[in-house]
Amino acid sequence: MKGIQLFALCCATAATSAALPEQYVLPEMGTVNTHALSTGNLYPAIARPWGVGLWTPQTVPNGRERWFYDYTHPRIYGLRHTYQPSPWIGDWGAWSILPLVGRPGTNAAARASWFSHKAETMSPALYRVYLAEFDVTAALAPTAHGAAFRFDYPAADVPGFVVDTFGLGEAALSSDGRRVTGWTRGYTQPKKYGTNLVQRFVLELGRPAAAAERLPDGALWVRFAPTSARTPVELRVGTSLISDEFASRSLAETAAGFDAVAAEGRAEWNRLLGRVRVQSDSIDRLRVFYTCLYRALLFPRSLGETDARGATVHFSPSAGDVRPGPYFGGTGFWDTFRALYPLLNFLYPEMSAQMMAGLENCWKESGWLPEWSSPGLVDCMVGNNSASVVAGAWLDGVRGGFDINELYRALVHGANNAHPTMKSVGRLGVEHYNAKGYVPRDVGINESAARTLEYAYDDWCIAALARAIGRPREEIDLYASRARNWRNVFDPARRIAVGRNADGSFNAAFDPFAWGGDFTEGCALHYTWSVFHDVEGLCEAMGGRKEFERRLDEIFALPPKFTSTYSHAVIHEMREMQVMGFGQYAHGNQPIQHMVYLYDWTDAPEKAGRRARDVMDRLYAPTPDGYCGDEDNGQTSAWFVWSALGLYPVCPGSGEYATGTPLFDRADVSLPNGRTLEIRAPGAAARRFPAAPAPRVRRADLLKGGPLLFGSAR
Ligand code: CA
């Protein structure tokens, strides 16, 4: 009964705040997943935009499990603090809190409570659930460095809660019963993070506890004295990666109490999501759009903390001590350079500037720019795409609080060196690439064609940045000439990207359907398009505009077959391509996500909009299985946000966006310069495809504000 009341209350709130975008966000979108098939590989992230930690209900028993949430599971094991950017990377600093009554079970599985999504409120700034086993309603409202909780306990039974550090930390109650102080390493993939990261937390109890007891599995049970009437207890938590003192200082974020924290969180989300205002009669489209925008504002996480003098400092995962300034972690540039960072630069450049300052700190502390950070350097994927992220920010006009010359030095270092142990940091195979113009496939380096293609684009980024900051001519020319290296893995006979041997011959056993090998999580059919900076050149190399268009069409017409070079045969990205019904257009992974917009370089640019609309309509849904593969830290969501606005950054850093067709008749974008971009596409919502004003538009023109009209008046 309690649950039904909560649900009704939630709906009433939504109806009275219809203009506020946060109400359309569905944190559960993309949360039904297995190792074999991803529909997002997400958990409901209850969090502040770019805050340090995230919170989520945990619906699997083992806290060390990386797939710790699945929407279809009927029991909750705790409200979990997490930093996990992706289950493939794993978690760190994880722990959970579970309110309950009576003596708890001796392990997580024995303590869990049944629950129903019908008795649950899920939104970015507030999570509330009825824990049926205990007749307790638990609510949480996150801050940047903590959260406020409210646990509504029934009368007469012994109210309490369990703090579980999953055997990787500990927690203790203070002698006055008012605070629980704890720490955890909480690693689910220990080898990836080093050993010095410790998450500290201080829980302040709104009512003094009566006692605490360590359970057989190491979790701490804290109990209150029973009450004669239903009584809520508020708890506030502050966290830190530095010290208990910093964690205590974080408690200030929740000083105003639960309701105020929840209201402040909702206001913050509305303020940020509200920079794009779309009109639609379709609640489904509003939900997908704002859910995607919300996912684009979560990662990377800002690890900065405020010291006693009010300055921002951070715990450096590389240096192992406290350093000045901001720091960010929890993103993989191989995924996110494509659409996410251009979106942040366009809509939230003040955050991009902080992220650049964070990258500068990472460079100074580790000697490298990260390619995957969580929060230190993580060895995952390929490439050197920090070049796109850094150059793209500067060329998109991001300024303030960082030294671009220092970051340029970092790019040049990364472009000319391989990390001694990590294959994805710097450039593996750089000695071959710089000597021959490509990474050979037969020198013991995997994914050689993919590396070559990405290095070539990254070199274009470095050249463009070098030009913008006035570097010497020969330096600009060097990188500009390396930017043409994509041609070295383009087989002119087969007219497709093919791995190449050290002697110059192309792979004789080439199979266009083969995933892995010379490519990364995809095949040549997907990777050949990775010439973001020279689409004209690729078009010519393929045989001209007509042939280029035919090849684009062919991707959708080919069967979704695959052959595998992986030892474990089928990776989930293959399966996701196979089941989608889009032929070889594997939108569930990143390499091909810009491809539909390449029609803008053909004589049929309207196909870009039609294909993009098809993808928006069929591969995104406001449901728990609503994505078509790993969402990947805002990238697959940023694709939707751009596409719904009728735009896409095919080549980050170019100052140019390809056009498609908007999803909404009207969208108003608040630009950082105070102007408003008014995207108008009459008829768009009614399944027409208003034509773009031009195949590509300049960023500088959009920043002037005013109308951008799709579709003629016919
Ligand atoms: Ca991916």
Side-chain angles (χ1 to χ4, degrees), residues 20 54 167 172 176 367 488 550 643 671 703:
L20 302 171
L54 310 100
D176 64 0
N488 295 332
R550 190 193 68 75
S643 294
L671 298 168
L703 290 182

Side-chain angles (χ1 to χ4, degrees), residues 431-456:
E431 67 281 18
H432 305 284
Y433 178 82
N434 285 357
K436 287 180 177 295
Y438 64 96
V439 180
R441 61 187 304 276
D442 54 351
V443 294
I445 296 173
N446 68 347
E447 305 175 340
S448 56
R451 289 182 202 275
T452 302
L453 289 166
E454 291 179 18
Y455 295 171

